[in-house]
Each structure stands twice: as C-alpha cells, then as structure tokens.
Amino acid sequence: MRTVIQIVLFLAAVVLTYLIYQSIQRPIEFDKAKDARYEATVAKLKDIRKAELAYKDIYGQFTGSWDTLITFVTTDSVRNVRAIGELTDSMIEAKITEKKAIEMGLIIRDTVKIGVIDALFNGKYDANSLRYVPVPGEPTEFHLGATVITTGSGIKVPVFEAKAHNNVILRGLDEQLIINLNDQRRTNEKYPGLRVGSLEETNNNAGNWE
C-alpha cells in the first residue's frame, strides 16, 4: 500500500514539476518565436515602404494595388544623378563654384535612368514576395491601401498603409498567448499586429514598431 502511495505521490510531483516548467517555458518559447517573426515582418514592411516612397516620387501618390507596386518595382525606372569629381581646395581658393566647375568639365553631374529594382534592392530581389507576410503556412498577403487625407488646414496629403494582424504573423504558435497579446494591444489602443503608414492620419509613413 505504501509503495502505491509513494508511486502516486512521485507521479504527482513529476506532473507538477512539468506543469511548472511549462508555465515558465511557454512564454519564453513564444516570445522567442514572436521576435523572429516580427523581425522578418518588419524587414518586409520596410521594403514595402521603400517601394511606395519611390512610387510616390514618380507618380505623386501612393498605390494600394499590389499588382501596380510589383510591376513598378520590376519594370519601372528612377532618375539617378551620377557624380564624378568634387570641388577641391584649389578650386575653392580660385573661387570656382560647383556650377562653374561643371561648365569647365572639371566635375561631371549626369542624370541617368536606373531600374527601380536596381536602385532600391541592388537588382537581387523577388518583387512578388513584397505582398506576402514572411511566415510559415499558406501564403497570406499584407493588407495594402492608399488614399489622400485632407488635413485640418485643408492640405491634401497622400498616405498609404501596409499591415498584418498578429493572428497571421504568429499563426501556429500558442493560441492563448496570441489572444493575450492581442488583448493587451487593444487595451493600450494599439493595432494588434505590425503596420507601416496609416490611412487615418499623417504619420510620416512610420511603422508602429518604431
């Protein structure tokens, strides 16, 4: 009888130890996985912002279309100023301005066109991957939108937004911890996920991780 009780108590102690370990380890493992996925998602959102800003420089507005943005990155071009030479101390002493040096051929400033994908991503980039949240599982697109906001002073400001919810970024991880994280974000009136730009306010195209 005593042996049975001892075995039961031992098993109960093992289970309790395991539960305590899990209660401590679960959040640690969750945060580690969350940080890795957040890092990859932020990097992608920065690339999206880079592409959107280049698009606006040329067309005067942002785009809310993935097809338009990806086609822009893969087929369009931007102007790039090629700079050869600079003002030397002797030129400055001789009171030669940069404009004069250019006229004299001492300095070259030449505007050339360069592919967007080369200008932004050094030519080695899968532009179509811009649309997808970089997490395991079924490919899921970022939500992308663009509009024009009229400020209180009547100024029209083009804006864009790209975002992904935590339910997508963290899918496959501990569901209860995802729920807890989302509730915490909502309690603090923050978007429960990662986002760059905003369709509701002019935030200088900032990311909510910055």
Side-chain angles (χ1 to χ4, degrees), residues 92-106:
I92 294 174
E93 290 174 2
K95 297 183 179 180
I96 297 176
T97 63
E98 182 174 287
K99 181 179 179 180
K100 183 65 175 177
I102 292 173
E103 292 174 353
M104 296 170 64
L106 301 174

Side-chain angles (χ1 to χ4, degrees), residues 25 57 61 64 101 119 173 195:
Q25 197 65 21
D57 282 344
Q61 60 185 4
L173 302 183
R195 174 176 63 191

